[in-house]
Amino acid sequence: MKICVVGSGYVGLVTGACLADFGMTVTGVDKDADKIAALERGEIPIYEPGLEEIVEKNVRAGRLSFTTELAPAIREARAVFIAVGTPPLPDGRADLSFVRQVAEAIGDNLNDYKVVITKSTVPVGTGQMVERVVRERSGGSQEFAVVSNPEFLREGSALEDFYRPDRVVIGARTQRAVDVMLEIYAPLKAAGVPFVIANVESSEMIKYASNGFLATKISFINEVAELCEAVGADVEVVARGMGLDNRIGPKFLHPGPGFGGSCFPKDTRAVAQIAEEHGLRFAIIDAVLDANERVKQRMVPKIAGAFDGLEGRTVAVLGLAFKGDTDDMRESPAIPIVEGLVAAGARVRAFDPAAIEQARPLLPEAVTYCYDAYDAARGADGVVIATEWNQFRALELERLRQLLTRPLIVDLRNLYEPERVAAAGFHYVSVGRSQATPAVGGERA
Ligand code: UDX
């Protein structure tokens, strides 16, 4: 089957490459000529483990190609995936102008039956809008179907999520459209992945409700962490004790400096907005948004406490991306942290394994960028771990200590066992674990 994927950003690129790997013939379209030229040279514009290999493999096999020419790619395809950006407008609603433009182009080029699939996270009701636009532009000349097929890809493990999803959600109005989708996802069906077949609105809602719930889980544990600090409990033990209850589950119970990224902040705001547009109030989502702002704001005072003031201090910040294994800086909690440190008079020496170039334009000019964690620590008065990169779990503590002027680690991701870091001579401050560990022979927090 010939497939056209419009939008070669994160979602479009992963979807296109994986579908080509399923044996489909895929054309990836993007209006950014530089991006397409780079992709044709085999250069992947985003950091995603494994993606480069499968793009290369499928380009070589002739199943994956890239173009800026939307019209011919639509005309050739049986299924057109819309995976363009839906950036938030100032009022929090998703900007659907790119989706609308693609729908117009599909209407203009509807030469036979096509399935039009919204892959981008779109507000409930977008499927209807796409249907209307395609119908108007095509003059009702051909049959087509609009399908909602939300993605649940996590950055950093997107390929794994694509090949081994917990479920595939398909929202469609006709069996004919469902059948096309089942053909596309045949390898997943064969692998026993559950399929949820719904109407378009339910499918769109599943995406928002899932992300809203996951964001709630993170904010919940972040609030529990704050409470743990106050009552003298250890949030890691509490999270384990909670997570062993099957009804709760252990995932997404890691406290930290707040959630960021391209999905959770945008989607939770959109849920609140959708509720408002329907005259409702989604009170829990409002609280999650509020809690996430507060947890981000708590971090700089926490660091200031550990450093005993920030004026004139040098802080080594490890990790800038919104989470590990990505170069994505969108809504990264590291941004307000670094801004706050600089505003309080600290010098920041920052390192991130992938996101430095993306971070540069977003962070204060005064930040010094370093080539690894040890370079960042050189001459600093302490380390702040802001992102859960795996490589920060295995720092050579002795080497780190020798580079720092003071043996201090503020671990905002709880990557370390307090006892181990204390044994290495560090003063260690983490999240939701009230017993700040004193340095050997050192003072208490
Ligand atoms: C998310 C969803 O997981 C995915 O299904 C959806 O399609 C897109 O949004 P992503 O944004 O890539 O994926 O990252 P995810 O791993 O979910 O983490 C989101 C944010 O929450 C990160 O800032 C992360 O550090 C934070 N987080 C996650 C926590 O603070 N604690 C956790 O327990 C889990």
Side-chain angles (χ1 to χ4, degrees):
M1 190 189 307
K2 287 200 168 141
I3 290 181
C4 167
V5 180
V6 190
S8 292
Y10 191 80
V11 172
L13 203 51
V14 172
T15 304
C18 292
L19 291 179
D21 216 39
F22 282 176
M24 307 284 142
T25 306
V26 177
T27 308
V29 187
D30 204 291
K31 58 185 178 189
D32 181 341
D34 291 342
K35 191 186 269 179
I36 292 298
L39 284 165
E40 281 177 329
R41 288 193 302 271
E43 292 164 21
I44 307 296
I46 51 171
Y47 177 86
E48 180 62 38
L51 184 59
E52 195 164 331
E53 289 78 356
I54 73 155
V55 169
E56 199 191 296
K57 174 178 142 201
N58 286 283
V59 166
R60 231 184 308 114
R63 284 191 301 265
L64 179 61
S65 60
F66 298 99
T67 179
T68 52
E69 299 289 323
L70 182 54
I74 291 173
R75 296 179 74 82
E76 276 188 1
R78 165 71 66 228
V80 183
F81 283 82
I82 305 180
V84 293
T86 55
L89 291 163
D91 65 2
R93 284 181 307 142
D95 179 354
L96 295 177
S97 49
F98 299 123
V99 174
R100 182 182 290 274
Q101 283 167 22
V102 178
E104 288 171 356
I106 295 169
D108 292 344
N109 291 284
L110 199 66
N111 53 342
D112 57 6
Y113 177 76
K114 290 186 198 304
V115 176
V116 180
I117 304 128
T118 53
K119 198 74 184 156
S120 317
T121 302
V122 290
V124 182
T126 304
Q128 282 181 16
M129 180 275 275
V130 171
E131 201 166 326
R132 208 172 44 245
V133 172
V134 176
R135 180 162 301 114
E136 276 167 19
R137 295 290 281 233
S138 65
S141 58
Q142 283 291 342
E143 270 193 78
F144 67 97
V146 172
V147 166
S148 156
N149 171 222
E151 53 84 18
F152 298 98
L153 308 173
R154 283 163 306 169
E155 294 186 21
S157 45
L159 299 190
E160 169 74 14
D161 290 347
F162 196 96
Y163 291 126
R164 271 174 283 279
D166 290 340
R167 77 307 206 184
V168 172
V169 177
I170 293 170
R173 282 184 229 299
T174 63
Q175 189 57 43
R176 189 177 179 191
V178 172
D179 289 343
V180 170
M181 297 306 290
L182 292 178
E183 191 181 330
I184 293 173
Y185 287 118
L188 298 182
K189 190 90 187 134
V193 173
F195 277 57
V196 179
I197 311 289
N199 68 19
V200 175
E201 290 68 29
S202 302
S203 168
E204 290 169 345
M205 197 61 214
I206 287 170
K207 174 67 193 250
Y208 279 116
S210 302
N211 276 359
F213 190 82
L214 292 169
T216 304
K217 227 176 156 184
I218 299 170
S219 288
F220 191 91
I221 202 68
N222 283 338
E223 302 265 91
V224 169
E226 190 183 13
L227 200 50
C228 283
E229 287 180 17
V231 303
D234 178 339
V235 70
E236 294 298 328
V237 181
V238 173
R240 186 169 143 71
M242 288 168 64
L244 285 169
D245 184 326
N246 278 331
R247 294 167 302 176
I248 298 175
K251 292 181 181 165
F252 276 69
L253 287 180
H254 304 291
F259 58 78
S262 62
C263 286
F264 287 164
K266 176 163 80 78
D267 291 355
T268 41
R269 281 195 286 266
V271 173
Q273 187 78 36
I274 292 167
E276 206 181 305
E277 277 166 15
H278 289 83
L280 302 170
R281 197 176 145 233
F282 202 145
I284 291 176
I285 290 292
D286 290 346
V288 167
L289 286 164
D290 184 48
N292 201 48
E293 278 317 304
R294 283 188 303 109
V295 68
K296 285 193 270 184
Q297 283 162 18
R298 278 204 298 275
M299 294 301 127
V300 173
K302 185 180 183 77
I303 297 166
F307 276 72
D308 199 12
L310 288 167
E311 179 73 49
R313 302 272 192 228
T314 300
V315 182
V317 175
L318 302 188
L320 298 169
F322 81 95
K323 64 172 197 175
D325 261 344
T326 177
D327 62 357
D328 200 333
M329 284 296 294
R330 281 177 286 183
E331 307 230 16
S332 172
I335 299 172
I337 291 173
V338 171
E339 281 172 352
L341 294 176
V342 171
R347 278 184 295 273
V348 172
R349 294 177 61 78
F351 169 67
D352 187 282
I356 288 182
E357 285 320 307
Q358 280 71 8
R360 237 180 251 277
L362 302 174
L363 297 180
E365 263 180 31
V367 173
T368 304
Y369 295 93
C370 302
Y371 56 81
D372 68 10
Y374 306 101
D375 183 32
R378 188 163 295 127
D381 300 306
V383 167
V384 171
I385 299 176
T387 306
E388 68 275 40
W389 277 96
N390 274 336
Q391 59 176 264
F392 299 149
R393 294 176 198 272
L395 294 168
E396 293 169 42
L397 295 178
E398 177 57 32
R399 184 172 164 204
L400 200 65
R401 195 164 58 83
Q402 284 171 6
L403 289 164
L404 291 166
T405 63
R406 294 196 301 177
L408 168 65
I409 295 178
V410 182
D411 180 359
L412 304 181
R413 299 284 187 169
N414 289 2
L415 301 188
Y416 284 90
E417 288 302 325
E419 296 72 26
R420 191 183 141 219
V421 194
F426 278 91
H427 174 56
Y428 180 70
V429 177
S430 55
V431 181
R433 297 190 279 193
S434 62
Q435 313 85 332
T437 317
V440 173
E443 80 283 16
R444 265 192 172 274

